[in-house]
Amino acid sequence: MSRVSPAVIVSARSRRPLERRGWLLYLLAGAPLVAAAAFLTGRSPALEVLPWVLLQGAAALTVLVTVHRRGLHRLWPWRLLGAGALLAWLATTLGWGVGQVWLHVPFLPSLYDLGTLVAYVLSLVALTALSLRGSGARGTALLDAAVITLGVAMPMWVFAIEPAVDGGVRTGAGVLLFLARPVIDLFIVGLVVRLALDNGRAPWLALLCASYLALFVADTLYLLDQTADRAYGPLSVVGWLGWAVLVGGAVLHPSVATAPRLRAPEAGRARAALFLGVALLSPLVSVLGQTFLDLGTARSPHDEIILIALTVLLAVLLAARLGIVARLAEERACELSASLRRQEALQRSLSHSALHDPLTGLANRTLLGQILQQAIASRSAPPALLMLDLDAFKDVNDTFGHPVGDDLLTAVAARVRALLPEGLLLARLGGDEFALVLPEGTVDDALAMARRILVALREPYRLDGRELHLTTSIGVLAGLSVASPAEALRDADLALYAAKNAGKNQVALFTPELREARLERTRLTTDLRRARERGELTLVYQPVVDLASGDIRKVEALLRWNPAGRRPVPPDVFIPVAEESGLIVPIGRWVLEQACADVRHWHERHGVSVTVNVSGRQLREEDFGDVVLDVLARYGLPARALVLEVTESMLLATTPAETARIVGTLTRLREHGVRIALDDFGTGYSSLSYLRTLPVDILKIDKSFTPVSGNADHDRMHAFTRAIVELSAVLGLTTIAEGVESPEQAALLQQMGCPQAQGYLFSPPVGAPQIDGLLHSIPWRQAA
């Protein structure tokens, strides 16, 4: 890869300021030559012509080179401007300098007049093309230029052209050639002023306009000098050569890069003021001027006719321009009206979108709140509110994908709407949750509607060739006054929560007791969140005994909560709260660590292992397996010393995908030596199938299957327990019977072949220090 020399970079940087200020240097360099030409006017023709040749030559060279360097040569108006500058220099050099002043060639001076006239025509065509480059209507641009031209032409006719014609400065065809340049100047003035009105902030255009205005002033002064039978004066020379200097400065200015992006004619205050001035002042000045000049002289008939004609033409052009403005205003009014209609439609659409669910078209939570507020404020009887939640809808999304889930939600919405009378509001609150408002609905009306919806939604759904079955849970708030929509939604949600807890596919009616229970649950959650920090959580252990020897083989770690200054909270109360709030994860980790810390010396001295209950919420944590192995490693405990106890119902509550992941985690831990116990065996729905798929080492027989003497179902319980023990033995699993409270039960289990048991016969759950005593107790073995 080639490298650029630092000297080249410095040189390029030093040239940039020069390029930015080149136009100014050009103007400053040209000003002395203009002054010199003005000073030499009428003194020495041979010297006078030199500044002309130099300045016009520099202008032509500057325009041609700069237009090419800036890429403007691809636009033919700029090529015409360059050609006009070059032709003006050739006409001055060959026609005037060589032909008249230096060599006195007879036919070359006429070449100067003809070449200069052609240069004027090229400039006129180029400026006309530039005026038409805007993105607007071309006719409007030319009309504006014509109005300005006529506005200037009327006083110029009165003060310059008419006196020249009447004075006989030229005769015959010479008059037309003599007046051609001033007439072209008039059109050029209209064009450059029109350009300046719309693009006046471009410095290059200001310089270009100034150059042609200088040319116009010079030609006008020359016309007046000729009418007065005088030679052209220094002011005309300054104007002519000022054109050469200013046009070169225009193309050198950096802003000329914006030249291809000229703006189209636009309505504005400056334009309106200019046209008003033209309409009022031009005829007024012309008439007053003509009256003043004609005092004491004979008035030529054509003078008034031409002035009237120009005035009428100016009025026609102004009327046409006003017509265009009126048409544009009408078009813009129509566009504005259409835009307002579109805006109103958009506002209606946005308002509808803000208050409706985009998937089902039902009302959303915002609109539901508004309708509830109106019903609460305006009805004599309180409104009824039904809250619906689809049961196991997540399984549909996980199994078939979200598009099928969306179609199912739409079908559910259609079914419910078909049941409703006109005027009832059905809303989708988000996800698979819906709400229905019954204004002044009684308890009976609300429950009847809920049951109809329950039945309707049980019917199978046929979507994309699939038959899907779905149930719903419904919470009902009716017959009770509420203060706000938020309170109504809260109470209906509590009823829905009760319906879910009742086994789903249920209708539950809100009662104040539900609110009290929820408040108590919230209080328990708050207190449980701080229980660990306060040292209110403790572990107790219940021994698992070998029925043959009476030795303690295991201890089961059980969590207890003893709030300071209050009665202990039972595990069946606070464990569900911990599960629901997610606190079971950090609490379960603490239990695992504390149990491993306590069992270490029991295992070292007596070979005792510890059983730790694990919740489904813990098992769903992706790092659960790593956490268990890390705790074992930190406490130096072999994996064989730990038993993780899971329940069958925990696995039934998960999706197939989650169950597969949980089984994978347990299998991995089992491969490291951790044993897995299945608790409450026999109380679930698919125990045998789980025994085939789960990595289980131990079955714990639920205490409801432990045989009790004198029980009416003694024989049946005996048969069930024996079947479980025999099945476990065939599968190579260890069996533990729970809830053993009498020696008769222990003896009967031993006869059945059950190897281990736990219960109050041996010991209630006790603290770690008591376990040390039990491990050395002779009566303990005798009890077994």
Side-chain angles (χ1 to χ4, degrees):
M1 183 176 178
S2 61
R3 297 181 61 186
V4 181
S5 169
V8 174
I9 296 175
V10 172
S11 176
R13 289 177 178 174
S14 63
R15 286 199 303 269
R16 289 174 186 169
L18 183 63
E19 292 178 355
R20 288 196 296 267
R21 296 182 177 85
W23 67 277
L24 183 58
L25 297 176
Y26 180 86
L27 295 180
L28 294 176
L33 289 176
V34 173
F39 176 76
L40 294 172
T41 301
R43 299 176 184 271
S44 173
L47 294 177
E48 180 185 357
V49 77
L50 287 177
W52 283 75
V53 173
L54 291 175
L55 284 172
Q56 290 193 343
L61 181 63
T62 300
V63 171
L64 292 173
V65 173
T66 306
V67 163
H68 188 273
R69 284 185 60 189
R70 297 186 184 274
L72 297 175
H73 64 284
R74 291 187 292 269
L75 304 175
W76 65 271
W78 290 94
R79 294 200 297 269
L80 288 180
L81 284 176
L86 178 62
L87 189 58
W89 174 71
L90 290 174
T92 298
T93 303
L94 297 179
W96 180 26
V98 175
Q100 181 176 339
V101 177
W102 295 325
L103 300 182
H104 304 288
V105 178
F107 66 91
L108 287 179
S110 59
L111 186 63
Y112 169 76
D113 292 333
L114 182 60
T116 302
L117 182 61
V118 174
Y120 273 56
V121 173
L122 291 177
S123 296
L124 176 62
V125 175
L127 291 172
T128 303
L130 287 177
S131 295
L132 298 178
R133 282 196 61 80
S135 58
R138 297 185 175 186
T140 303
L142 293 180
L143 188 59
D144 288 349
V147 169
I148 299 167
T149 296
L150 278 178
V152 178
M154 293 177 65
M156 187 173 179
W157 164 260
V158 171
F159 293 103
I161 297 177
E162 181 187 4
V165 173
D166 292 344
V169 175
R170 295 287 191 277
T171 58
V175 175
L176 297 178
L177 186 62
F178 177 68
L179 296 179
R181 284 165 56 181
V183 171
I184 293 174
D185 284 340
L186 288 172
F187 287 105
I188 289 177
V189 166
L191 292 170
V192 296
V193 173
R194 206 290 299 167
L195 283 171
L197 282 174
D198 295 311
N199 305 272
R201 294 183 179 180
W204 74 270
L205 186 56
L207 291 171
L208 186 68
C209 293
S211 69
Y212 282 100
L213 289 176
L215 195 64
F216 168 72
V217 172
D219 287 338
T220 303
L221 292 175
Y222 175 70
L223 185 61
L224 294 174
D225 288 337
Q226 289 293 297
T227 303
D229 200 19
R230 295 191 302 266
Y232 61 87
L235 292 179
S236 294
V237 173
V238 170
W240 285 323
L241 294 182
W243 168 84
V245 174
L246 291 171
V247 78
V251 296
L252 284 174
H253 199 281
S255 64
V256 80
T258 64
R261 300 189 296 273
L262 291 175
R263 291 188 302 180
E266 297 179 359
R269 294 182 179 180
R271 188 184 306 276
L274 178 65
F275 286 173
L276 181 61
V278 167
L280 295 177
L281 296 179
S282 183
L284 179 62
V285 170
S286 300
V287 171
L288 292 176
Q290 189 176 55
T291 302
F292 176 77
L293 293 175
D294 288 345
L295 290 176
T297 62
R299 182 177 298 178
S300 176
H302 66 269
D303 295 344
E304 292 184 357
I305 295 175
I306 291 177
L307 191 59
I308 292 172
L310 292 175
T311 304
V312 171
L313 183 58
L314 177 61
V316 171
L317 294 178
L318 285 171
R321 188 64 177 92
L322 289 175
I324 292 176
V325 171
R327 179 171 54 81
L328 290 176
E330 183 178 356
E331 291 176 356
R332 291 191 178 183
C334 293
E335 291 175 0
L336 179 60
S337 178
S339 177
L340 289 175
R341 287 195 297 272
R342 287 193 298 270
Q343 185 176 4
E344 290 175 0
L346 178 61
Q347 287 177 344
R348 287 194 299 270
S349 175
L350 291 176
S351 177
H352 184 274
S353 299
L355 298 175
H356 291 79
D357 173 53
L359 176 63
T360 61
L362 300 177
N364 62 10
R365 186 180 291 271
T366 302
L367 182 55
L368 175 69
Q370 295 176 4
I371 297 301
L372 273 175
Q373 183 62 51
Q374 294 173 8
I376 292 170
S378 61
R379 304 285 181 178
S380 56
L385 178 63
L386 278 62
M387 190 87 75
L388 293 71
D389 187 85
L390 306 181
D391 299 327
F393 177 76
K394 184 176 182 294
D395 291 348
V396 176
N397 278 337
D398 292 344
T399 306
F400 302 107
H402 287 276
V404 174
D406 291 345
D407 292 342
L408 184 57
L409 289 173
T410 304
V412 167
R415 281 195 189 180
V416 177
R417 267 193 297 204
L419 298 174
L420 303 181
E422 190 70 26
L424 293 187
L425 179 75
L426 178 64
R428 181 185 175 212
L429 303 184
D432 58 339
E433 196 171 59
F434 299 83
L436 172 63
V437 179
L438 303 176
E440 298 184 352
T442 64
V443 174
D444 292 338
D445 292 339
L447 290 176
M449 177 60 72
R451 294 187 185 102
R452 285 201 298 272
I453 294 174
L454 206 67
V455 172
L457 296 185
R458 285 181 193 149
E459 295 296 321
Y461 299 83
R462 291 175 176 81
L463 301 172
D464 294 335
R466 302 182 183 91
E467 183 174 280
L468 303 179
H469 293 266
L470 194 69
T471 60
T472 187
S473 300
I474 304 178
V476 176
L477 170 67
L480 296 174
S481 297
V482 289
S484 66
E487 184 177 327
L489 289 168
R490 181 199 63 194
D491 291 346
D493 194 54
L494 289 176
L496 175 61
Y497 185 82
K500 290 282 188 183
N501 284 343
K504 302 180 181 180
N505 193 25
Q506 302 284 332
V507 175
L509 180 66
F510 172 79
T511 62
E513 290 75 16
L514 289 176
R515 187 185 302 163
E516 294 299 324
R518 190 63 181 178
L519 290 174
E520 176 63 18
R521 201 173 188 88
T522 302
R523 184 187 63 79
L524 281 175
T525 302
T526 303
D527 291 344
L528 185 59
R529 200 177 297 276
R530 297 193 292 263
R532 257 187 62 203
E533 302 171 2
R534 296 172 175 173
E536 297 174 352
L537 296 179
T538 58
L539 284 186
V540 294
Y541 298 93
Q542 187 171 39
V544 177
V545 177
D546 185 286
L547 289 175
S549 65
D551 293 335
I552 297 177
R553 299 297 187 188
K554 305 175 183 65
V555 290
E556 181 178 0
L558 301 170
L559 182 62
R560 296 293 184 262
W561 180 18
N562 300 295
R566 287 188 293 158
R567 297 175 60 184
V569 181
D572 59 351
V573 173
F574 74 81
I575 291 296
V577 173
E579 289 271 5
E580 181 185 342
S581 62
L583 291 173
I584 195 66
V585 174
I587 291 175
R589 183 174 299 188
W590 175 82
V591 169
L592 179 64
E593 294 207 12
Q594 187 62 44
C596 288
D598 289 341
V599 82
R600 182 169 56 179
H601 68 280
W602 300 334
H603 182 74
E604 291 172 353
R605 297 175 185 176
H606 307 284
V608 174
S609 58
V610 66
T611 299
V612 176
N613 291 278
V614 179
S615 75
R617 180 69 178 80
Q618 288 176 269
L619 283 173
R620 285 194 289 273
E621 292 290 308
E622 300 212 357
D623 63 343
F624 176 75
D626 295 330
V627 169
V628 171
L629 296 176
D630 176 64
V631 171
L632 289 172
R634 281 192 289 113
Y635 288 97
L637 198 65
R640 186 76 182 170
L642 177 64
V643 178
L644 295 180
E645 188 172 301
V646 299
T647 62
E648 181 183 357
S649 58
M650 169 206 312
L651 299 172
L652 289 172
T654 61
T655 64
E658 286 179 336
T659 300
R661 190 164 60 81
I662 290 172
V663 169
T665 300
L666 296 177
T667 302
R668 177 191 169 207
L669 290 173
R670 192 164 178 258
E671 289 171 353
H672 280 82
V674 177
R675 287 174 293 172
I676 309 299
L678 186 61
D679 193 18
D680 299 336
F681 184 76
T683 60
Y685 299 96
S686 309
S687 299
L688 294 179
S689 65
Y690 276 119
L691 285 180
R692 183 172 53 85
T693 58
L694 278 178
V696 176
D697 300 282
I698 300 168
L699 287 185
K700 300 191 74 172
I701 303 175
D702 186 77
K703 63 181 180 180
S704 61
F705 288 93
T706 301
V708 179
S709 300
N711 192 313
D713 291 333
H714 176 269
D715 293 336
R716 294 183 62 190
M717 289 296 105
H718 187 279
F720 278 127
T721 305
R722 181 179 294 277
I724 293 172
V725 171
E726 291 177 355
L727 175 65
S728 180
V730 170
L731 296 176
L733 306 178
T734 301
T735 307
I736 300 174
E738 296 180 305
V740 178
E741 298 180 356
S742 66
E744 291 80 11
Q745 287 178 312
L748 187 57
L749 288 167
Q750 189 176 7
Q751 291 174 8
M752 292 179 185
C754 182
Q756 297 177 9
Q758 69 182 95
Y760 274 73
L761 171 63
F762 310 108
S763 173
V766 295
Q770 285 79 10
I771 293 295
D772 288 326
L774 290 175
L775 287 171
H776 299 88
S777 174
I778 299 299
W780 171 262
R781 289 186 171 85
Q782 292 176 348

